[in-house]
Amino acid sequence: MVVLGAILLVLDQITKNWAEANLEELVPQPFLGEFLQLTLLYNSGAAWGMGSGITPVVTCLQMLIVVGVLVFAVTTVRSPWYALALGMILGGALGNIHDRLLRPPAPFRGEVVDFLELPNWPVFNIADMGVVGGAILVVLLSVIGLHTDPSAAEAEKPAAAETEAPEERKA
């Protein structure tokens, strides 16, 4: 999980640095025709620019989420699928936190570099893809009933079978 998060963080920062060095702000460049364009912009808010006036609060909330993900992963998660999802969320969150802490205009007020643009969708970055993809994977895993700790789920099955009434077992 931590390795995946670190890889995603590095990939995110490399692509953001490339975008800043090679793209002109707010000038779309076709990448895959009209489907995917590269448009450099700076986002001082959270998702879709919301909360741009409270960037320090957004930054602190993101840091709390990272701590929560780490605590949850260490104390609860034993499933490789959940570890994958949390690694994606961790790497993406750290990529955007890095921008907020170290990019202009100031620490805790830094603007996130966004540069990927799909039709009728806000401009985003690799970190955003990690956070959203990881969150979707967590929801999907929950919906299909995959436990965060498969060995704990197996241990619960015999205990549940023993508490059933005999007539329920026959049915």
Side-chain angles (χ1 to χ4, degrees):
M1 178 196 79
V2 172
V3 172
L4 175 61
I7 291 169
L8 191 57
L9 168 63
V10 169
L11 182 60
D12 176 63
Q13 291 304 306
I14 288 170
T15 57
K16 286 174 178 176
N17 289 335
W18 176 88
E20 285 190 302
N22 294 287
L23 300 174
E24 192 174 330
E25 190 173 357
L26 300 177
V27 178
Q29 299 294 318
F31 185 69
L32 296 175
E34 295 294 316
F35 178 71
L36 176 62
Q37 297 188 66
L38 305 176
T39 305
L40 177 64
L41 66 83
Y42 297 93
N43 180 1
S44 63
W48 302 291
M50 294 183 296
S52 60
I54 57 168
T55 304
V57 173
V58 171
T59 306
C60 290
L61 286 173
Q62 286 180 325
M63 292 186 332
L64 286 173
I65 289 168
V66 165
V67 170
V69 165
L70 288 171
V71 168
F72 180 66
V74 169
T75 61
T76 307
V77 173
R78 300 293 174 264
S79 160
W81 289 106
Y82 275 97
L84 172 71
L86 294 178
M88 293 169 65
I89 293 169
L90 178 66
L94 289 174
N96 286 337
I97 288 169
H98 175 277
D99 288 7
R100 295 187 189 288
L101 292 176
L102 300 177
R103 292 191 186 269
F108 285 88
R109 296 185 183 285
E111 296 177 329
V112 173
V113 177
D114 288 328
F115 63 95
L116 299 168
E117 182 176 19
L118 296 170
N120 305 310
W121 196 256
V123 181
F124 58 97
N125 58 44
I126 301 294
D128 297 335
M129 291 169 47
V131 170
V132 171
I136 289 170
L137 185 54
V138 165
V139 170
L140 178 63
L141 294 171
S142 298
V143 167
I144 64 173
L146 187 65
H147 200 280
T148 57
D149 184 352
S151 60
E154 286 299 316
E156 291 172 5
K157 284 182 182 178
E162 291 172 9
T163 60
E164 290 179 355
E167 55 275 354
E168 288 177 353
R169 279 189 237 142
K170 292 177 186 174

